[in-house]
Amino acid sequence: MTEVIAKPAIPDDAWIACRRCRRPLYAKRFAREQYVCPECGWHAPLTAHQRVELLLDRDGREELPAPATVSDPLDFVDSRPYPQRLIEARAGTDLDEAVICLRGRIAGAPVVLAVMDFRFMGGSLGTAVGERITAAAEAALRERTPLVLVTASGGARMQEGALSLMQMAKTSQALAQLDEAGVLTIAVVTDPTYGGVAASFASLTDIIVAEPKARLGFAGPRVIEQTIRRKLPAGFQSAEFLLEHGLVDLISPRNQLRSALARLLACAPAPADGAPPADPAGPAATDQESIVVTDPAELTELDPWQVVQRARDINRPTTLDYISYLIDGFTELHGDRAAEDCSALVGGLGLLDGRPVVVIGHQKGHTTRELVQRNFGMPSPAGYRKAARLMRLAAKLRVPLVTLIDTPGAYPGPEAEEKGQSVAIAESIRLLSRLPVPVVAVVTGEGGSGGALALGVANRVLMLENAIYSVISPEGCAAILWQTPREAAAAATALRLTAPELLRSRVVDGVIPEPAGGAQLDQGGAAEALRDALVASLQPLAGLSSEDIVNHRWTRFRRYGTSGEDQGRQA
């Protein structure tokens, strides 16, 4: 075993000035604060060894052997020969290259860790760096152990020419192999991460975590400004900018990074002696008595318009409310990895009754301000594309997917149409229909049209007692067919959108009783009922093969609209 010892970048007895706020910082206190300014939050660069000390448990660290690579493929000379630059970098950093790779544990969870160091020739991606990243990925593949990449780079290493460029392809292929094998990958983006690293392995992991203010991009800001001849906006390419534009999953301050990674790693498939992860939902749970009602006669028939009002009650629990009660160690993941993050749809990883799950749901709010900020729970195309990304993550990790539906419908604005709203919904429905892991969907409030169905193609579809599920809102139906929205109550009755009606038509498989007066009066009680229903619904699916799970879902939805005789043949 090789013990990696931290090598401070700043002498302990020195005073330094914060690069951002310029306040004086005493080095010993600065080190205790993990090199984060206590005044403004500036995160100073860390050496690779310091990163290892920050992240890995002290026991069981083992440095991976460095593969042999070419040293000077071009006989490159600029102001100094390339070999001379390598000698200087090694002397100045006490590293032999710009990355170190190790086996170890983070809060007890096994990982393969690769950490880049910007001090070594700007963390540039050359053959040695690319080979070590690839070898680390291959070790993670053999051992079915999560791969964590800590990035810091100015881009490709020019002194190695096209061979440097090829490292982008090689490392990307290695990440693709981990995708196919179901091995969790996480990137920790530190400042700066640019060029060939940003355009390969740093952007291809399942989850991208960024330190505050860390910059990530293909071209640097100076190059962009010189090219387009205009000033870039403040904060361009910063972690905060990237989060807003859907390109990273979360921002983690340095003092919270280790715990954030530990939560994510708790949801990774457990290594099984080098074998692929078990299929798909893990060991079957003990028998769970379900509170779910499957006989419509056991439900109270309420006036449909009254149920509509209850379903829309601003005090009903939201998806994030339910998650806070149900999901241990939940980490919300953000962004469609293209351009946006939609706040009307939330999702992430966590543990339900000790079992890893992915949870996705519509998010409204309890105040006018929050409702506006969440777009009243009406997702944009970016929301459904974020959901699709999380669905694919559930499939890769072979963990169940839970969806919580509460939306009046997908956002119908012109910008949503311009960005492909119908395509995003259709792709979500198609993806769910073939997802090889158990899916349980619950309508917790409003189930409005295709915007709801995009999360509703599940093996088991439930609804809360005072929820509704419909092809259109009562007001919309009345405006079109009665030609006046004043007939919304009549439309609500005609649409048969309440729990007893939907159970009779088999649109839903069961109904979850709510506390007296409705979920809005007892969030905790409603959450406990939902927990029991989810655990009981996932139990019979746990032992099914991926093929059986997909066929089960196909059969469930194939029956709709057929005659009774045909339904019997399809069941």
Side-chain angles (χ1 to χ4, degrees):
M1 298 293 180
T2 302
E3 181 71 13
V4 180
I5 305 299
K7 296 177 181 286
I10 303 167
D12 283 343
D13 59 352
W15 285 84
I16 64 167
C18 172
R19 289 187 194 171
R20 185 187 301 164
C21 69
R22 307 309 301 169
R23 286 186 172 87
L25 302 172
Y26 187 51
K28 285 187 177 179
R29 181 188 177 192
F30 193 40
R32 286 197 302 270
E33 300 286 344
Q34 298 177 341
Y35 300 96
V36 176
C37 175
E39 300 294 334
C40 71
W42 171 62
H43 283 52
L46 294 183
T47 70
H49 292 305
Q50 288 171 320
R51 291 278 177 194
V52 170
E53 290 294 322
L54 172 68
L55 296 178
L56 287 186
D57 299 350
R58 288 194 168 274
D59 296 333
R61 301 175 188 174
E62 179 185 3
E63 193 162 352
L64 300 180
T69 56
V70 294
S71 58
D72 184 14
L74 306 184
D75 294 325
F76 195 94
V77 179
D78 46 48
S79 61
R80 293 190 299 286
Y82 177 42
Q84 182 62 36
R85 289 190 179 275
L86 289 173
I87 291 170
E88 293 168 359
R90 288 164 183 158
T93 62
D94 201 22
L95 296 170
D96 64 347
E97 253 303 339
V99 66
I100 58 175
C101 302
L102 309 92
R103 290 184 186 88
R105 292 179 178 273
I106 297 177
V111 295
V112 172
L113 177 69
V115 185
M116 302 188 73
D117 196 316
F118 193 81
R119 298 174 304 150
F120 195 105
M121 297 189 68
S124 51
L125 176 60
T127 55
V129 172
E131 183 62 26
R132 292 182 190 198
I133 294 289
T134 302
E138 289 170 344
L141 179 64
R142 287 192 303 273
E143 299 160 17
R144 294 303 197 273
T145 300
L147 175 67
V148 178
L149 304 167
V150 183
T151 65
S153 178
R157 191 168 296 179
M158 294 176 287
Q159 293 90 342
E160 296 186 14
L163 285 181
S164 174
L165 188 66
M166 294 305 106
Q167 304 312 307
M168 295 171 62
K170 183 166 70 178
T171 55
S172 297
Q173 285 185 156
L175 268 292
Q177 288 182 318
L178 293 175
D179 287 339
E180 293 169 1
V183 176
L184 178 66
T185 57
I186 303 172
V188 178
V189 173
T190 74
D191 189 58
T193 298
Y194 278 116
V197 170
S200 59
F201 57 88
S203 297
L204 293 178
T205 55
D206 299 313
I207 299 165
I208 302 177
V209 184
E211 284 196 330
K213 305 297 181 183
R215 293 167 293 168
L216 171 72
F218 183 56
R222 281 185 297 178
V223 172
I224 297 172
E225 288 183 339
Q226 289 169 3
T227 302
I228 66 174
R229 297 284 193 267
R230 69 170 184 263
K231 190 74 174 172
L232 294 172
F236 182 75
Q237 294 181 326
S238 69
E240 293 73 17
F241 175 93
L242 298 168
L243 185 67
E244 180 183 349
H245 288 81
L247 300 174
V248 302
D249 286 289
L250 65 148
I251 298 172
S252 177
R254 192 169 289 164
N255 63 358
Q256 299 173 24
L257 179 58
R258 180 178 152 88
S259 59
L261 294 176
R263 288 195 302 272
L264 293 168
L265 293 168
C267 298
D273 300 324
D279 196 40
T286 56
D287 289 341
Q288 173 81 21
E289 183 177 351
S290 177
I291 64 166
V292 174
V293 176
T294 56
D295 182 357
E298 297 180 18
L299 297 172
T300 302
E301 300 277 358
L302 298 175
D303 175 70
W305 186 242
Q306 180 185 356
V307 178
V308 170
Q309 304 312 308
R310 286 191 179 184
R312 294 172 174 172
D313 193 306
I314 198 171
N315 294 312
R316 283 184 76 82
T318 67
T319 290
L320 289 177
D321 290 330
Y322 282 121
I323 285 173
S324 69
Y325 283 104
L326 301 177
I327 308 300
D328 295 326
F330 179 73
T331 300
E332 184 177 352
L333 304 178
H334 293 268
D336 64 354
R337 291 280 180 94
E340 299 178 45
D341 182 47
C342 173
S343 61
L345 197 147
V346 299
L349 279 164
L351 302 175
L352 171 65
D353 202 38
R355 162 186 281 167
V357 293
V358 170
V359 183
I360 305 169
H362 301 98
Q363 178 65 19
K364 291 182 178 178
H366 297 301
T367 65
T368 301
R369 181 176 181 179
E370 187 179 3
L371 284 166
V372 171
Q373 191 266 325
R374 299 282 184 180
N375 203 30
F376 297 87
M378 296 185 292
S380 67
Y384 291 111
R385 290 178 178 129
K386 172 170 66 175
R389 186 169 74 83
L390 297 181
M391 293 171 192
R392 286 189 287 269
L393 179 61
K396 172 180 172 175
L397 300 182
R398 306 182 78 79
V399 301
L401 172 66
V402 172
T403 66
L404 303 180
I405 297 168
D406 185 14
T407 181
Y411 180 58
E415 58 269 40
E417 294 298 317
E418 291 168 1
K419 295 175 180 178
Q421 184 72 287
S422 58
V423 176
I425 291 171
E427 288 180 342
S428 180
I429 293 171
R430 179 174 63 179
L431 178 59
L432 269 180
S433 71
R434 307 303 294 175
L435 209 67
V437 295
V439 182
V440 176
V442 183
V443 184
T444 61
E446 288 185 274
S449 191
L453 184 62
L455 299 189
V457 182
N459 295 93
R460 190 158 172 82
V461 180
L462 309 175
M463 67 187 299
L464 292 182
E465 185 178 6
N466 292 309
I468 59 172
Y469 200 5
S470 176
V471 67
I472 193 173
S473 70
E475 294 89 343
C477 179
I480 294 170
L481 298 182
W482 277 263
Q483 298 186 356
T484 171
R486 290 193 296 272
E487 294 296 329
T493 300
L495 287 167
R496 299 181 181 240
L497 44 63
T498 61
E501 295 283 11
L502 293 164
L503 191 55
R504 273 190 282 270
S505 65
R506 300 171 68 193
V507 167
V508 300
D509 301 300
V511 177
I512 304 171
E514 296 187 26
Q520 67 275 11
L521 298 182
D522 183 1
Q523 288 194 4
E528 282 304 310
L530 178 57
R531 180 199 303 275
D532 292 344
L534 289 173
V535 172
S537 295
L538 287 170
Q539 178 185 322
L541 300 171
L544 299 181
S545 69
S546 296
E547 183 180 2
D548 287 342
I549 286 168
V550 172
N551 288 337
H552 176 277
R553 204 175 304 130
W554 161 259
T555 301
R556 187 189 183 284
F557 284 87
R558 178 64 179 83
R559 72 188 182 212
Y560 290 122
T562 60
S563 69
E565 181 182 352
D566 286 339
Q567 285 187 21
R569 280 200 297 268
Q570 295 294 335

